[in-house]
Amino acid sequence: MPPTEANTQPAIGVFDSGIGGLSVLQALRAEMPQERFIYWSDSAFAPYGERSDEFITERSHFITQQLIAKGKVKSVVVACNTATAVAIESLRQQFTDIPFIGVEPALKPAIGLTQTGRVGVIGTHGTLQSTRFENLLQTVLNEASPKTCAFVIQACRGLALAIERQTEKPQADTEEVEQLCAQYLKQMGAFGKAPGQMDTLVVGCTHYVFVNDILRSLVGPDVNIISTGLAVAKQTHRLSANKLLDVPVQADLPGHEAIQLWTTGSLRALEHAADRWLELPPSCCHFIEPSKI
Ligand code: DGL
């Protein structure tokens, strides 16, 4: 039964350019099992990483308005490094009543973990060339001093889109993704624990979390692979704490579904992703017209 828009309990809104943010939703559900979530996959407009700042900002504002209209959201998780880098400040300025939680590449934890002092960072072009990322990098390097540390930064064009495409089929065909991961990691240099090698890899795109196994097979068993889902879930929990539901969600009633997933792209792809990664049934998944701004 499709969700009704009236009489819904407050939800936490979550959005991404596509299905990548489901990796953050996994962590959010584990951290707050009693919460209600509304997820927006903007797959008709993915990948964001190769779009202009203006486009991403306009989409982010539009999606936030839609989430508010659909579910009386009490907080919004921008489950996309690219949209966080480009748009989170303007979202905070526009929607002053709602806490926004963003995701960004985990450079600080990486500094704490690395022994060789060389850290690899992968993400989208949009994230890695943003002013926000540049500022983060400078801050982390200043804080790390006098510990010597170098970041090897690699934008992975096409990888998020290839991961989106994987979900079109019921069984993932990983060939394109494997080839892209191998190509980009090779360009970065050697991974491992020996001096001069990268012993830590920061996964700076929520899509890439779903190819963790492939990344692991390429960098070897000893390299730290870091993503941000858990930290974001804990931060969301803290910021939503004063607005938490005090009664369990009535998931069996229309309009009270504990989790609604919406996509502007292929409903079938979203259903496959929901099943594969979140063990959610197709009834949680809905199509929304990808209205242009
Ligand atoms: N999942 C997104 C991120 O974390 C964006 C991928 C894309 O659309 O380019 O950056």
Side-chain angles (χ1 to χ4, degrees):
M1 188 178 301
T4 58
E5 293 188 11
N7 199 28
T8 49
Q9 297 182 44
I12 294 178
V14 185
F15 78 88
D16 179 42
S17 63
I19 46 85
L22 293 175
S23 62
V24 179
L25 184 59
Q26 273 178 339
L28 289 165
R29 283 178 79 202
E31 173 72 18
M32 291 170 284
Q34 292 290 74
E35 281 290 332
R36 181 168 172 268
F37 294 99
I38 301 182
Y39 181 89
W40 181 298
S41 164
D42 208 24
S43 294
F45 300 97
Y48 278 5
E50 286 146 48
R51 299 276 196 175
S52 70
D53 290 4
E54 294 72 27
F55 183 89
I56 297 166
T57 303
E58 286 179 7
R59 283 309 295 169
S60 299
H61 280 249
F62 176 78
I63 292 167
T64 301
Q65 278 158 358
Q66 297 297 309
L67 288 171
I68 291 168
K70 286 209 170 303
K72 302 178 191 166
V73 290
K74 54 185 172 180
S75 58
V76 172
V77 180
V78 184
C80 175
N81 290 264
T82 315
T84 300
V86 171
I88 200 163
E89 289 313 325
S90 76
L91 288 170
R92 285 177 175 145
Q93 279 165 18
Q94 173 82 27
F95 302 94
T96 48
D97 294 344
I98 301 173
F100 285 88
I101 301 92
V103 296
E104 60 187 12
L107 303 188
K108 283 184 193 174
I111 291 273
L113 279 174
T114 183
Q115 297 288 320
T116 63
R118 275 182 88 74
V119 172
V121 184
I122 53 174
T124 69
H125 176 74
T127 299
L128 300 179
Q129 58 84 55
S130 67
T131 308
R132 194 180 170 94
F133 179 75
E134 181 59 34
N135 291 342
L136 174 68
L137 188 61
Q138 281 313 320
T139 306
V140 169
L141 286 171
N142 292 342
E143 282 174 9
S145 177
K147 183 175 178 178
T148 315
C149 193
F151 288 96
V152 179
I153 293 161
Q154 180 69 51
C156 303
R157 283 186 190 273
L159 183 53
L161 189 59
I163 294 166
E164 286 278 315
R165 276 202 288 260
Q166 265 193 12
T167 56
E168 290 287 342
K169 299 175 193 156
Q171 300 299 322
D173 173 1
T174 56
E175 196 183 324
E176 184 187 12
V177 170
E178 279 173 30
Q179 188 242 310
L180 285 170
C181 288
Q183 172 194 323
Y184 287 125
L185 292 186
K186 190 171 171 204
Q187 281 173 27
M188 295 171 76
F191 285 89
K193 289 242 172 248
Q197 294 183 332
M198 289 169 279
D199 65 352
T200 303
L201 176 64
V202 175
V203 179
C205 171
T206 55
H207 278 73
Y208 305 171
V209 175
F210 289 126
V211 295
N212 210 56
D213 290 354
I214 296 172
L215 297 172
R216 169 62 68 206
S217 71
L218 290 164
V219 299
D222 299 333
V223 169
N224 308 302
I225 300 183
I226 318 178
S227 54
T228 40
L230 184 62
V232 169
K234 291 203 176 297
Q235 174 74 344
T236 307
H237 199 161
R238 267 194 298 277
L239 287 178
S240 308
N242 58 349
K243 300 177 179 180
L244 280 178
L245 302 178
D246 50 13
V247 291
V249 171
Q250 297 168 286
D252 53 335
L253 296 177
H256 289 76
E257 293 138 310
I259 301 193
Q260 295 175 16
L261 309 178
W262 294 82
T263 183
T264 54
S266 157
L267 180 58
R268 178 167 302 203
L270 180 65
E271 288 172 355
H272 291 156
D275 174 47
R276 197 176 298 163
W277 294 321
L278 297 173
E279 294 175 4
L280 286 172
S283 58
C284 291
C285 301
H286 312 279
F287 174 71
I288 189 158
E289 201 61 46
S291 46
K292 296 270 188 307
I293 297 166

